[in-house]
Amino acid sequence: MARTKKAETATSEVSTTPTIKKSLSEETKAKISESLRRKKGGSIQDAFETIAKNKLVADESRIVRDGNIVTLNGYFKIESGTFEIMKHNIEHGVNTMLIGATGTGKTEVVANISKVFNLPLTIFDMGTMTDPVMGLVGTHVITVENGVTKSEFKRSRFSELIQQPGIILLDEISRAGAMANNLLFPCLDFRRELPMEYSFHDTTPVKIHDQCVFFSTSNMGSQYTGTHKLDRALLDRFMLIGVDSIKKEDIVSTLIAEFPRITKTKINKLVSVFEKINKEHDEFKISFNLSIRHLKTISKLVSNGFTIYDGYVALCKGLGSQEGLKAIKAILDDAKTSTDTES
């Protein structure tokens, strides 16, 4: 049925307030409610404006787009689609989990994204967090002063950092236990708060800053020792993004940028040995492989005067014992020969 001009006029007069056509996520609803609560009143429009003011903004001068590739901070390359999704997630406070094998550069991705947003990055190693309550919430400290025993609750570094702008990386979250997950659940969903029931002095939950963003990394698969099958409730609180292995030229560029005292020839040798060792692991010839973090550790040694050979021997002996060293003897001998020749 055709609408009359009178009806159209009446409709236009009534529809003076903006309508929200898209359904809101639980996180957005929670942010609106929190904004209205803090202001003790106000409209939904005011709440949206408050959220917009708190929105994180990327430093475009650190981003160079070239087709399907984006270069961050002058050297780190990442696939355009992956970067835009991660950028969106930071801007809108979406939790992101990066999935991939050791050595793919998951932590390196987050480190470079944090620089683009000029945000401090703090990494919590979930695999070595033996006491999640102490690591995430805090601990009671008993002191004696003038013969009087006192109990004081010392809040964790985690509980302090989540109240500030920044990126929190929950590294190797697949190695975290059930207790850690239970404490993280309310931090990662619409509540955005850390429970403090373990503090007898003040059990008020710690509210998470609007500009605090959570990332996590996971090595998923039976080949990773100490990993747990991730809780579905935990997975549902993240957007999962697969990370492909970082290319050789990108690893070289990263090391050149971070270790300017090392010659390019030595950096190429460092990366070459790194790739050969990981190839041995992929072919089931050795029991361990190396991550970008391991490579940076060795590069730091080389930057401070150690040889490439000594750096790799020190680290690989710790990872694979004496037997592991024997299995990669030819690779290490080649590194030693090359170093001697260069010297």
Side-chain angles (χ1 to χ4, degrees), residues 134-160:
M134 181 183 294
L136 298 175
V137 180
T139 185
H140 287 274
V141 178
I142 305 297
T143 59
V144 179
E145 294 182 12
N146 300 322
V148 179
T149 302
K150 295 182 180 180
S151 174
E152 180 184 3
F153 187 79
K154 294 285 188 182
R155 290 194 171 188
S156 68
R157 180 165 168 256
F158 177 84
S159 68
E160 299 295 336

Side-chain angles (χ1 to χ4, degrees), residues 3 15 39 54 69 88 123 130 139 146 172-173 215 224 240 245 258 268 279 285 295-296 303 329:
R3 298 171 66 187
S15 303
K39 295 180 70 173
N54 292 330
I69 299 298
H88 166 275
I123 302 175
T130 55
T139 185
N146 300 322
E172 297 192 350
I173 199 169
F215 273 76
Y224 300 109
L240 276 59
S245 297
E258 294 196 22
N268 282 322
K279 183 180 179 182
K285 295 179 181 178
L295 179 56
K296 284 188 174 183
S303 179
K329 184 178 184 301

Side-chain angles (χ1 to χ4, degrees), residues 11-22:
T11 302
S12 62
E13 291 175 353
V14 172
S15 303
T16 56
T17 57
T19 58
I20 301 172
K21 296 181 179 180
K22 293 184 179 180

Side-chain angles (χ1 to χ4, degrees), residues 55-233:
K55 183 179 177 180
L56 292 164
V57 179
D59 181 353
E60 290 294 331
S61 67
R62 291 179 171 269
I63 305 169
V64 177
R65 295 176 174 84
D66 183 14
N68 293 327
I69 299 298
V70 175
T71 302
L72 307 180
N73 308 309
Y75 64 89
F76 187 82
K77 291 179 172 57
I78 184 172
E79 195 271 326
S80 176
T82 300
F83 168 71
E84 294 300 340
I85 290 174
M86 293 176 66
K87 178 175 175 288
H88 166 275
N89 288 358
I90 292 176
E91 292 172 341
H92 295 85
V94 178
N95 307 319
T96 306
M97 180 184 293
L98 303 183
I99 298 174
T102 298
T104 53
K106 299 183 293 296
T107 304
E108 195 66 29
V109 170
V110 181
N112 278 276
I113 289 284
S114 68
K115 291 178 183 177
V116 168
F117 279 86
N118 295 310
L119 287 171
L121 170 65
T122 307
I123 302 175
F124 288 89
D125 189 344
M126 303 305 295
T128 59
M129 192 175 288
T130 55
D131 187 341
V133 174
M134 181 183 294
L136 298 175
V137 180
T139 185
H140 287 274
V141 178
I142 305 297
T143 59
V144 179
E145 294 182 12
N146 300 322
V148 179
T149 302
K150 295 182 180 180
S151 174
E152 180 184 3
F153 187 79
K154 294 285 188 182
R155 290 194 171 188
S156 68
R157 180 165 168 256
F158 177 84
S159 68
E160 299 295 336
L161 287 170
I162 60 176
Q163 299 179 68
Q164 307 167 27
I167 292 179
I168 302 294
L169 175 58
L170 306 171
D171 201 23
E172 297 192 350
I173 199 169
S174 48
R175 296 177 61 200
M179 175 62 78
N181 290 345
N182 290 334
L183 290 170
L184 289 171
F185 285 159
C187 297
L188 300 169
D189 62 24
F190 67 93
R191 288 169 286 183
R192 295 272 296 174
E193 62 183 29
L194 175 68
M196 299 295 288
E197 283 85 356
Y198 291 94
S199 170
F200 299 145
H201 302 288
D202 183 4
T203 59
T204 305
V206 173
K207 289 293 182 181
I208 297 172
H209 196 282
D210 289 339
Q211 293 182 334
C212 178
V213 184
F214 289 98
F215 273 76
S216 68
T217 64
S218 175
N219 300 326
M220 301 180 74
S222 58
Q223 68 269 39
Y224 300 109
T225 59
T227 59
H228 303 281
K229 183 178 181 180
L230 286 172
D231 192 315
R232 178 58 187 268

